[in-house]
Amino acid sequence: MSKTHRIQHLDIFGPCALESREQMVPVLELAKKLGITYVRAQVFKPRTNPDSFQGLGQEGILLLQDLKQTYPELKFVCEVCSEKQFEAVKSIASIIQIGARNMQNFELLKYIAQKFDHDYVLLKRGFANTYKEWMASASYLMKGIAKDKLILCERGSRSISSPTGVSLDFMCALKAHKEGFQVIVDPSHGTKDADYVLDLATAAKAMGFAGVMLEAHPEPAKSVSDAVQALSLEQVQNFFTE
Ligand code: PEP
Ligand code: MN
């Protein structure tokens, strides 16, 4: 079902987590080739299980600083779960991501609203949060951040019907879009299955959202986190036209 699509300013792709230079260089090369500006570069990973990979942390930040020298035209999207993590990534990240699990971390929202000085802040809808709660969290950010600096990201809800346990909620995304927000759709966490990611990304593009966020890895099966939904770089390239 997936076709090729023109790149939009807020189309984002990259690995679930930054793992190594060897992993990231092919991702950055593809971003450069396609003309994609924002690349996922997650150094802090909120994980359900404490023994799962938690991100490279400070080592990852040093790696990103180094990669930035080679790829000055590319910009990084970094998730933060705490004030401390915000302070750690603030000079290397251009988009500050607030993930599903922290959508209602109100103290974090207030802190970011005060300290933000970046291209965008990206607020995901929590997987068990309502549209109204998502809007309320957006309001916390807009106490200090202009609406046009805010990106809302739909990443699916816990589902009683979906075979993978998550359903992308296009109604939520469309309503936010109609309210004048810049909305992007994350069909990677929204499907948890690489076989379906591009079909739902195609749907998101057809609905006119501001972009999609795709998880991809040079060797998807070796992805240390979210391997089930990782696209190959070839799949990403084929999805977008140049
Ligand atoms: C992510 O995008 O890296 C992520 C953890 O997603 P979510 O917060 O939607 O689970
Ligand atoms: Mn992930």
Side-chain angles (χ1 to χ4, degrees):
M1 191 201 287
S2 63
K3 301 184 230 128
T4 51
H5 302 275
R6 198 172 45 82
I7 306 268
Q8 293 171 276
H9 177 59
L10 293 181
D11 283 323
I12 298 167
F13 86 104
C16 179
L18 175 66
E19 297 168 17
S20 66
R21 175 185 298 275
E22 295 63 41
Q23 172 220 32
M24 202 57 172
V25 165
V27 171
L28 297 173
E29 286 293 331
L30 179 59
K32 194 171 150 182
K33 181 170 164 190
L34 292 175
I36 283 183
T37 305
Y38 297 105
V39 178
R40 288 177 56 93
Q42 314 291 11
V43 294
F44 298 116
K45 293 301 299 174
R47 303 307 300 281
T48 303
N49 295 305
D51 296 329
S52 301
F53 178 61
Q54 303 283 312
L56 290 179
Q58 188 56 28
E59 184 193 335
I61 293 168
L62 295 176
L63 176 55
L64 292 179
Q65 280 166 352
D66 195 43
L67 289 167
K68 185 82 184 153
Q69 309 288 321
T70 319
Y71 300 95
E73 67 276 61
L74 299 182
K75 298 183 172 194
F76 299 129
V77 182
C78 298
E79 175 167 1
V80 300
C81 304
S82 66
E83 296 177 9
K84 201 169 148 201
Q85 290 181 1
F86 175 85
E87 292 301 327
V89 303
K90 73 176 179 193
S91 59
I92 193 69
S94 296
I95 297 184
I96 301 291
Q97 176 172 325
I98 301 165
R101 288 158 190 80
N102 282 293
M103 189 203 90
Q104 289 191 310
N105 183 342
F106 302 117
E107 292 308 312
L108 180 64
L109 299 179
K110 285 188 216 170
Y111 188 80
I112 292 175
Q114 262 181 25
K115 304 280 175 162
F116 176 83
D117 184 22
H118 298 78
D119 288 3
Y120 300 100
V121 58
L122 188 160
L123 178 68
K124 288 193 165 198
R125 186 175 65 79
F127 41 74
N129 286 112
T130 64
Y131 178 78
K132 263 180 136 174
E133 288 165 344
W134 195 22
M135 291 299 117
S137 293
S139 301
Y140 268 96
L141 292 171
M142 287 191 293
K143 294 279 179 200
I145 301 172
K147 189 172 183 178
D148 64 0
K149 294 267 182 188
L150 176 59
I151 303 167
L152 295 184
C153 178
E154 166 57 34
R155 55 79 73 215
S157 298
R158 276 192 197 283
S159 173
I160 54 161
S161 52
S162 163
T164 62
V166 60
S167 297
L168 259 190
D169 195 327
F170 280 112
M171 256 309 284
C172 264
L174 278 172
K175 174 89 173 142
H177 176 70
K178 284 189 197 298
E179 301 285 335
F181 288 97
Q182 299 183 100
V183 179
I184 67 168
V185 171
D186 169 359
S188 300
H189 296 93
T191 59
K192 289 209 282 192
D193 187 334
D195 287 345
Y196 296 92
V197 169
L198 291 179
D199 288 335
L200 289 183
T202 298
K205 286 282 191 182
M207 286 185 210
F209 293 111
V212 291
M213 182 191 254
L214 302 175
E215 282 193 349
H217 193 287
E219 295 181 275
K222 292 194 182 160
S223 185
V224 297
S225 55
D226 287 348
V228 286
Q229 70 210 32
L231 299 173
S232 68
L233 299 186
E234 293 69 31
Q235 284 177 296
V236 172
Q237 176 159 7
N238 291 339
F239 181 74
F240 292 113
T241 53
E242 289 184 65

